[in-house]
């Protein structure tokens, strides 16, 4: 999927994510420092990009979230553009507002909340 994204300037052309709005988030491993790239659904809130650490409603947060908690400076690829950003997890009530806004556009996220007992983190990506 990452190769497809990059080959088609941010467009996924095949598979279950074809036509969806995705970005690539590159973090540095919390322990290793190695680069890790994850395709993620995103939404916008003004000038900021918003990603949700849902992991499909799994009981634990995704690895990329753990990584950015240790190394908040990340790389974002969206469409043909690539830039550095700072990842900032949100607190309440902002987390709730952004989560609901995101789920309104992508209803699967509302379902993810129902399948886990953890409070799913919301992360704002701000260009630096």
């Amino acid at each position: 999927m990452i190769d497809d994204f990059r080959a088609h300037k941010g467009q996924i052309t095949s598979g279950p994510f074809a036509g969806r709005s995705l970005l690539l988030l590159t973090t540095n491993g919390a322990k290793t420092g190695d680069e890790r790239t994850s395709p993620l659904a995103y939404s916008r809130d003004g000038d900021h990009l918003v990603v949700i650490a849902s992991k499909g409603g799994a009981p634990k947060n995704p690895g990329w979230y753990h990584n950015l908690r240790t190394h908040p400076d990340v790389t974002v690829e969206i469409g043909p553009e690539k830039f550095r950003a700072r990842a900032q997890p949100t607190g309440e009530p902002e987390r709730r507002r952004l989560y609901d806004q995101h789920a309104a556009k992508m209803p699967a996220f509302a379902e993810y909340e129902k399948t886990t007992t953890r409070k799913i983190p919301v992360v704002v990506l701000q260009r630096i």
Side-chain angles (χ1 to χ4, degrees), residues 1-127:
M1 184 180 340
I2 293 169
D3 291 339
D4 187 32
F5 181 101
R6 289 178 174 151
H8 296 100
K9 297 184 173 142
Q11 298 299 311
I12 303 298
T13 61
S14 63
F17 296 101
R20 290 174 121 183
S21 295
L22 298 179
L23 60 75
L24 298 182
L25 178 71
T26 301
T27 59
N28 291 94
K31 292 180 183 175
T32 66
D34 293 345
E35 286 191 347
R36 309 275 188 224
T37 300
S38 303
L40 302 173
Y42 72 94
S43 59
R44 293 183 181 270
D45 186 58
D47 292 338
H48 301 132
L49 300 171
V50 177
V51 292
I52 309 291
S54 65
K55 198 175 181 182
K60 294 186 178 183
N61 291 326
W64 63 261
Y65 180 74
H66 179 67
N67 291 343
L68 67 76
R69 296 288 293 168
T70 303
H71 303 290
D73 290 347
V74 299
T75 300
V76 175
E77 295 174 64
I78 187 167
E81 188 178 11
K82 184 176 183 177
F83 57 91
R84 297 291 293 160
R86 179 145 306 122
Q88 179 63 51
T90 60
E92 299 297 345
E94 188 71 351
R95 187 202 74 82
R96 179 81 265 157
R97 180 184 75 78
L98 292 172
Y99 195 100
D100 290 345
Q101 180 177 290
H102 193 88
K105 294 177 184 172
M106 293 168 265
F109 285 87
E111 295 304 312
Y112 299 155
E113 245 183 346
K114 295 175 185 176
T115 63
T116 187
T117 57
R118 70 183 168 94
K119 187 178 282 190
I120 297 175
V122 174
V123 177
V124 173
L125 303 171
Q126 184 172 3
R127 186 187 297 257

